[in-house]
């Protein structure tokens, strides 16, 4: 076995999606030194590479996903960052040293700072524990988009989309472009999670019925899918005939590398626990984007990447002190998670927290407290929807007792 070659860089970014490329662009442009971006895929850009719909890029721009991905990669290279695609980070060889393998063979890369931007992935049918046979025609949204947009292959004749998050409607568009009839969308929730106009267009113009309060309890057919057995929440059952099913949403952070490195994870997001400066529990290691809170839009991820670059620059040029303690932030049901989820001294106090809820909440009043002391109350002037971000101002963080108990966020 060949001995790995070794090199050193100033910043190693793992993941060339929107967050990683935005962080690398900002860091290289502001003189952070040698910035290297790794990605296991052959092309940079992350998920947008296979999203043909428009709507990517800065407000007012209507780039397709591939256009956005190409521009983001060009910006990073133009700023002076180095991209290394087809390169996989295998594991940690030191506090900020990673073993990798790629076209040039094995390599050991030591960095002054590591930025984890490994993104998120949709949970496939197996992870959702849907029983039944194992036929062809069972996909996630990402697999469908790659099948249709990257490889130009057929996706079947009759499809069912499982889920009603915004990404489910992206799957609907991909099926329509492929010439596949969508016979139904299925969700266990009482209504769609997408914007009303989008959901109405699919139902009225696209003539795709939305079956609410229902779940898939069995996959049928072999070797090709022939149908899905459904169970309604009132106990009724039905079989939908189809040869393709697309399981959408239900994102989970791709935190394997973080877990291998012993980085503390948050129980709610299941991604690395971070403070408002995107600092993990591991000195010198930052995390940003959908690996923290699966999954946000490319615009949100890129914005976070740019914000994280500021913190990385401060770490590279400052005294190097890394906070090891601080208060944690927790949510109470029906809230699902919050990010950032650590509060440390020296972190920005004007940050915005992002939350998710497990059920629809009409104009909820959010209350922040610590040890029985109310720190902040804020009413959301719209309905909080499962699968969509709920913002919470961070103006209260200066009131937190760093030696106190956990900060709790709940719905009054």
């Amino acid at each position: 076995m060949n001995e790995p070659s070794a090199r050193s860089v100033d910043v190693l970014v793992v993941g060339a999606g929107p967050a990683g490329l935005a962080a690398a662009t900002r860091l290289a442009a502001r003189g952070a030194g040698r910035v290297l971006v790794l990605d296991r895929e052959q092309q940079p850009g992350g998920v947008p590479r296979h999203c043909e719909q428009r709507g990517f890029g800065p407000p007012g721009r209507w780039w397709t996903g591939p256009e956005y991905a190409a521009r983001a990669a060009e910006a990073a290279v133009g700023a002076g960052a180095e991209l290394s695609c087809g390169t996989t980070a295998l594991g940690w060889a030191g506090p900020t040293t990673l073993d990798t393998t790629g076209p040039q063979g094995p390599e050991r890369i030591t960095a002054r700072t590591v930025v984890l931007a490994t993104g998120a992935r949709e949970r496939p049918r197996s992870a959702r524990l849907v029983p039944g046979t194992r036929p062809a025609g069972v996909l996630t949204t990402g697999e469908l988009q790659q099948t249709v947009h990257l490889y130009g292959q057929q996706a079947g004749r009759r499809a069912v989309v499982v889920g009603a998050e915004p990404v489910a409607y992206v799957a609907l568009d991909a099926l329509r472009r492929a010439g596949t009839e969508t016979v139904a969308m299925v969700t266990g929730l009482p209504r769609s999670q997408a914007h009303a106009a989008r959901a109405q267009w699919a139902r009225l113009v696209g003539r795709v019925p939305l079956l609410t309060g229902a779940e898939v309890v069995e996959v049928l057919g072999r070797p090709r899918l022939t149908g899905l057995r459904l169970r309604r929440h009132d106990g009724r059952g039905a079989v939908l005939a189809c040869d393709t099913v697309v399981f959408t949403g239900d994102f989970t952070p791709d935190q394997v590398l973080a877990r291998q490195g012993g980085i503390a994870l948050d129980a709610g997001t299941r991604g690395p626990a971070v403070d408002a400066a995107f600092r993990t529990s591991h000195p010198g290691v930052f995390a940003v984007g959908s690996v923290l809170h699966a999954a946000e839009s490319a615009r949100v991820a890129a914005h976070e990447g740019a914000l994280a670059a500021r913190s990385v620059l401060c770490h590279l040029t400052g005294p190097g002190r890394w906070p090891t303690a601080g208060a944690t932030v927790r949510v109470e049901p029906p809230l699902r998670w919050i990010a950032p989820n650590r509060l440390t001294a020296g972190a920005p106090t004007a940050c915005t927290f992002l939350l998710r809820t497990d059920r629809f909440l009409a104009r909820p009043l959010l209350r922040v407290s610590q040890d029985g002391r109310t720190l902040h109350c804020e009413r959301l002037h719209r309905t909080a929807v499962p699968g969509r971000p709920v913002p919470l101002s961070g103006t209260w963080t200066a009131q937190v007792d760093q030696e106190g108990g956990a900060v709790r966020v709940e719905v009054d």
Side-chain angles (χ1 to χ4, degrees), residues 252-253 265-273 291-294 336-339 341:
T252 185
L265 303 180
D266 179 72
T269 63
R270 294 180 288 183
V291 70
L292 300 179
H293 39 70
R336 186 173 185 179
W337 54 248
I338 186 169
N341 28 54

Side-chain angles (χ1 to χ4, degrees), residues 8-263:
S8 297
V9 297
D10 293 287
V11 182
L12 175 60
V13 180
V14 185
L21 290 175
T25 301
R26 189 65 63 93
L27 286 163
R30 296 195 174 182
R34 191 174 181 184
V35 179
L36 173 64
V37 187
L38 306 182
D39 199 290
R40 62 190 173 196
E41 300 293 340
Q42 297 299 319
Q43 299 292 329
V47 171
R49 289 178 303 115
H50 48 77
C51 296
E52 287 291 337
Q53 75 273 15
R54 295 192 176 274
F56 289 88
R61 307 294 176 88
W62 293 96
W63 298 335
T64 65
E67 289 173 343
Y68 170 84
R71 288 172 184 265
E74 289 171 3
V77 172
E82 178 185 354
L83 299 187
S84 180
C85 293
T87 301
T88 301
L90 300 175
W92 300 81
T96 55
T97 301
L98 286 169
D99 282 333
T100 71
T101 185
Q104 307 305 319
E107 189 173 24
R108 178 162 291 176
I109 304 171
T110 297
R112 295 171 62 197
T113 297
V114 175
V115 179
L116 298 178
T118 48
R121 51 189 166 79
E122 285 178 299
R123 294 205 310 159
R125 170 258 182 114
S126 57
R128 303 181 195 216
L129 304 179
V130 179
T133 56
R134 295 180 177 275
V138 181
L139 305 170
T140 62
T141 309
E143 292 169 337
L144 171 68
Q145 290 176 318
Q146 293 186 44
T147 298
V148 174
H149 300 315
L150 289 188
Y151 306 120
Q153 298 173 341
Q154 295 296 316
R157 293 178 299 173
R158 289 170 53 85
V160 171
V161 174
V162 180
E165 295 184 46
V167 71
Y169 292 86
V170 173
L172 206 62
D173 290 339
L175 290 167
R176 181 175 53 81
R177 287 170 179 259
T180 303
E181 177 192 5
T182 302
V183 296
M185 301 179 73
V186 178
T187 176
L189 294 171
R191 61 180 186 268
S192 169
Q193 297 152 264
H195 292 288
R198 187 72 178 88
Q200 288 180 3
W201 185 94
R203 184 169 56 86
L204 299 177
V205 181
R207 298 182 179 180
V208 178
L210 176 64
L211 307 183
T212 59
E215 58 182 332
V216 177
V217 294
E218 188 177 2
V219 172
L220 307 171
R222 182 180 293 171
R224 182 79 192 191
L225 180 73
T226 58
L228 300 172
R229 191 179 303 282
L230 305 184
R231 182 172 59 209
R232 305 292 293 263
H233 290 176
D234 60 8
R236 291 179 295 163
V239 172
L240 278 179
C242 60
D243 61 9
T244 302
V245 58
V246 187
F247 287 95
T248 68
D250 198 1
F251 290 95
T252 185
D254 194 345
Q255 33 78 315
V256 174
L257 194 60
R259 193 174 65 245
Q260 288 177 344
I263 293 171

Side-chain angles (χ1 to χ4, degrees), residues 266-281:
D266 179 72
T269 63
R270 294 180 288 183
V274 294
D275 64 9
F278 303 96
R279 295 177 292 202
T280 70
S281 63

